Amino acid sequence: MAKVKTVILIGDGMGDLPLAELGNRTPLQYAETPTMDYLATHGELAMLKTVPDTLEPGSDVANLSLLGYRPEKYYSGRAPLEAASMGITLAADETAFRCNLVNLFERADGEIIMADYSGGHITTADARELIKGLKEQLDSDRFTFYPGISYRHLLVVKGEISLCTTPPHDHSGKPVTTFWGHYQKSPLAGLVVKAREILAAHSVNRGRAAAGKVPANGIWLWGEGKTPSMPTLHELYGLEGGLISAVDLLKGIGVCAGLEIINVPGATGYIDTNYQGKAAAAIKVLEKKDFVVVHVEGPDEASHQGNLKDKITAIEDFDAKIVKPVYDSLQQSGCDYRLAVAMDHYTPISTRTHDRHPVPLVIFSSDRTSSSGLAYTEADAESTGRSYDNGEEFFKRLMGQG
């Protein structure tokens, strides 16, 4: 008997609050999303609590929940998950830090502002040259830089270290002097100061400034932790499959979950990503395996930038270029399947940061025949009164175990 094909499609940060400029609608309510609305009408629409009360509302915690894990039990930090994606094995005495390339502005009064948490959404090519420059001058027996994608990189520190850090995207356009001060009181003080000097003088940043682009003139370390210990989805559910994402965090979660990581050319983590390539890759995975996860970062990035137009575009592109072709392919295959469409968390345009509010979720099965008239929106999902208290509960339902 053939197994049921199981698919999870994640639109990172799609959730939002009603906005006056959209007639008191959310971007998800405003956007044209006919495929997600169809799935919501004919599937099971509910709310899902992806962030436990004891943890912060980050993509790391929330996406672990979407893959059926209890973050309270398995989460050990964001950076170790990204290290797993990059093939970096952490020793017992090593701590991984997420290393953002950022733009910091220092005012005349000494106040430091997080002008841009992404270094102007720096290209991977430019970023790798900058990280190469940092490696050449700052790598040591204790500190090692690793290049990633766009502004997202990694620093591994040998030896025990205690430091109070914060995600840079939580402070877009805001003062971060207090947090910068925490670095100055730690063993990382000399490193972060020297990094600013190296980046300011680097030819890549001089070229970016000359071209009117935002220079990546600093590093921001956060999301620290040690290697997690968690069972694979095969061990838990007998699942074998693949994961498709542009960002190392999701790839790292996939590695730890025992999934095959599918790298799609042109996948950028923003609204210019290769949507068609991601959808095609997902369909190809399902030809040989029974489970696939597709993650799209665009709505979240637009939210962190406070760019409403881009967020609406990202939501509509997710519906038209990811959800529709994957759904159409499943329908045409004639196989039994379960398709979940979700987001990991809200990222309201008004705050530009993550929110722990439960998220709308739809589970559509190939044997569904109901029709509710509801759409895939925050309000309609809440109106159902159906909810899942954690990711494990949701995942078991998706697998037909509850």
Side-chain angles (χ1 to χ4, degrees):
M1 181 178 177
K3 289 185 177 180
V4 175
K5 302 289 185 181
T6 306
V7 181
I8 303 177
L9 306 179
I10 304 169
D12 199 307
M14 286 195 298
D16 214 305
L17 305 174
L19 297 168
E21 56 264 54
L22 299 181
N24 209 35
R25 289 174 289 178
T26 69
L28 189 58
Q29 289 174 312
Y30 181 86
E32 295 291 330
T33 56
T35 305
M36 289 193 289
D37 291 344
Y38 176 86
L39 297 176
T41 293
H42 298 285
E44 177 192 303
L45 187 62
M47 298 296 288
L48 166 62
K49 185 175 182 177
T50 58
V51 182
D53 294 337
T54 56
L55 295 172
E56 293 301 311
S59 292
D60 40 17
V61 169
N63 280 288
L64 278 170
S65 291
L66 288 177
L67 265 69
Y69 292 97
R70 298 295 293 269
E72 315 95 299
K73 186 175 182 179
Y74 298 113
Y75 178 68
S76 67
R78 180 184 185 117
L81 295 168
E82 300 190 354
S85 167
M86 297 162 71
I88 300 167
T89 301
L90 298 176
D93 65 341
E94 289 182 328
T95 300
F97 285 81
R98 168 71 172 272
C99 177
N100 273 43
L101 287 172
V102 301
N103 181 270
L104 299 172
F105 173 71
E106 188 166 353
R107 297 194 318 213
D109 61 2
E111 189 84 270
I112 296 175
I113 308 298
M114 180 62 66
D116 194 313
Y117 72 91
S118 67
H121 269 287
I122 189 169
T123 65
T124 298
D126 280 358
R128 284 181 176 259
E129 286 300 310
L130 294 178
I131 295 297
K132 179 182 177 182
L134 295 178
K135 286 185 66 65
E136 289 172 349
Q137 297 192 53
L138 297 179
D139 270 14
S140 66
D141 291 340
R142 186 165 193 197
F143 303 121
T144 307
F145 286 90
Y146 292 91
I149 302 296
S150 182
Y151 60 88
R152 313 170 186 93
H153 308 280
L154 207 67
L155 173 71
V156 173
V157 179
K158 182 174 285 291
E160 294 304 316
I161 184 169
S162 178
L163 180 64
C164 176
T165 66
T166 184
H169 51 256
D170 282 357
H171 306 281
S172 295
K174 300 176 182 178
V176 289
T177 310
T178 299
F179 300 107
W180 184 257
H182 292 160
Y183 295 133
Q184 307 314 307
K185 299 173 185 176
S186 79
L188 300 173
L191 183 84
V192 295
V193 171
K194 184 63 176 175
R196 287 187 73 186
E197 296 172 359
I198 294 168
L199 293 172
H202 201 287
S203 59
V204 166
N205 273 328
R206 293 200 304 270
R208 290 178 65 81
K213 298 178 181 178
V214 175
N217 63 5
I219 61 172
W220 197 265
L221 306 174
W222 62 288
E224 66 277 8
K226 296 181 180 294
T227 299
S229 176
M230 51 192 277
T232 66
L233 290 178
H234 180 75
E235 291 169 332
L236 291 173
Y237 301 100
L239 278 179
E240 292 186 0
L243 182 142
I244 300 160
S245 176
V247 298
D248 283 326
L249 170 62
L250 268 292
K251 293 178 183 179
I253 292 174
V255 168
C256 293
L259 300 175
E260 179 185 0
I261 306 305
I262 313 298
N263 293 306
V264 175
T268 64
Y270 199 50
I271 61 171
D272 59 351
T273 198
N274 181 2
Y275 290 99
Q276 291 86 351
K278 284 187 167 186
I283 293 166
K284 188 172 182 180
V285 169
L286 293 174
E287 292 175 0
K288 297 182 178 180
K289 299 183 179 181
D290 298 313
F291 179 67
V292 70
V293 179
V294 183
H295 169 265
V296 173
E297 179 80 355
D300 189 60
E301 289 294 322
S303 297
H304 287 313
Q305 296 283 342
N307 192 322
L308 178 58
K309 179 177 179 293
D310 280 359
K311 180 163 189 174
I312 293 169
T313 297
I315 291 171
E316 292 181 339
D317 283 347
F318 176 69
D319 183 77
K321 300 176 182 179
I322 296 292
V323 182
K324 185 179 190 304
V326 172
Y327 167 69
D328 286 348
S329 177
L330 287 168
Q331 281 289 96
Q332 293 163 12
S333 72
C335 67
D336 291 331
Y337 67 86
R338 298 189 190 96
L339 169 62
V341 177
M343 60 193 74
D344 49 355
H345 49 65
Y346 285 32
T347 311
I349 286 284
S350 58
T351 63
R352 300 193 185 189
T353 191
H354 301 158
D355 190 289
R356 63 172 61 253
H357 195 285
V359 301
L361 159 78
V362 60
I363 300 175
F364 182 90
S365 301
S366 50
D367 60 355
R368 294 288 293 187
T369 57
S370 63
S371 180
S372 66
L374 298 175
Y376 185 68
T377 68
E378 300 91 343
D380 278 8
E382 287 205 54
S383 75
T384 67
R386 287 191 294 265
S387 64
Y388 294 95
D389 290 335
N390 56 69
E392 182 180 34
E393 192 177 280
F394 146 67
F395 204 87
K396 286 182 177 179
R397 172 70 181 89
L398 180 64
M399 296 303 299
Q401 297 180 9

